[in-house]
Amino acid sequence: MAAEMSIVHNCLIRMINSVHNQCINVATRGTDADQVDFANYAFQWTEWLHEHHSSEDSTLFPSMGEIAGVPGLMDVNTNEHAGFHDKISRYANYLKEVIRGKEKLDGEKVKNLIDSFMPELHTHLENEIGTLVNLESYDKVDWEAWFKKEVGKMIKEMMGQYEYRVSSLTVNTKRREFF
């Protein structure tokens, strides 16, 4: 379970790194359409992170405490989510304004917004893996089987939602509205 979560966390880090590394280039050399597309790409990362943390907070982590017989077992990780939530919201809100055409993409601003939350987020992503590795002390639970079953249910539910299937990485650049 920790290994699979490490892959998800690595993808989150790589995607935000790509935004951080390219935001100035796109802002200074990209067309208006390039900038809106890039802002949408950067915004979709916030949606993915939100979905990831929401599923942990509402479903996975409470269930893990219950089946291990230790309510609140994962609270330390859930509590860390609050530490960077507002900073990521500022980042997301700025990107929405760029997508809607109310702001111009400013690469330095994007970089600074990322720099405001990334140290805390990176620490959290590392800490969470450590917490998951330590679950081996609750060996009465087949964590791998449980995790695959729970994630499978969540994916089935999400993919059953039309809005989820069509909205990811999609924005109407002509109207600059979210679907």
Side-chain angles (χ1 to χ4, degrees), residues 14-47:
R14 287 178 180 271
M15 187 172 173
I16 198 65
N17 279 345
S18 69
V19 173
H20 194 271
N21 289 336
Q22 295 301 321
C23 59
I24 293 175
N25 292 334
V26 175
T28 58
R29 292 185 266 204
T31 65
D32 287 346
D34 292 338
Q35 291 176 16
V36 170
D37 288 345
F38 183 81
N40 185 52
Y41 170 77
F43 174 76
Q44 291 303 322
W45 176 87
T46 69
E47 294 287 282

Side-chain angles (χ1 to χ4, degrees), residues 70-92:
V70 183
L73 176 66
M74 302 298 289
D75 284 356
V76 66
N77 301 109
T78 298
N79 293 338
E80 286 178 346
H81 295 167
F84 47 80
H85 178 268
D86 290 345
K87 294 173 185 175
I88 292 175
S89 290
R90 283 192 287 279
Y91 170 76

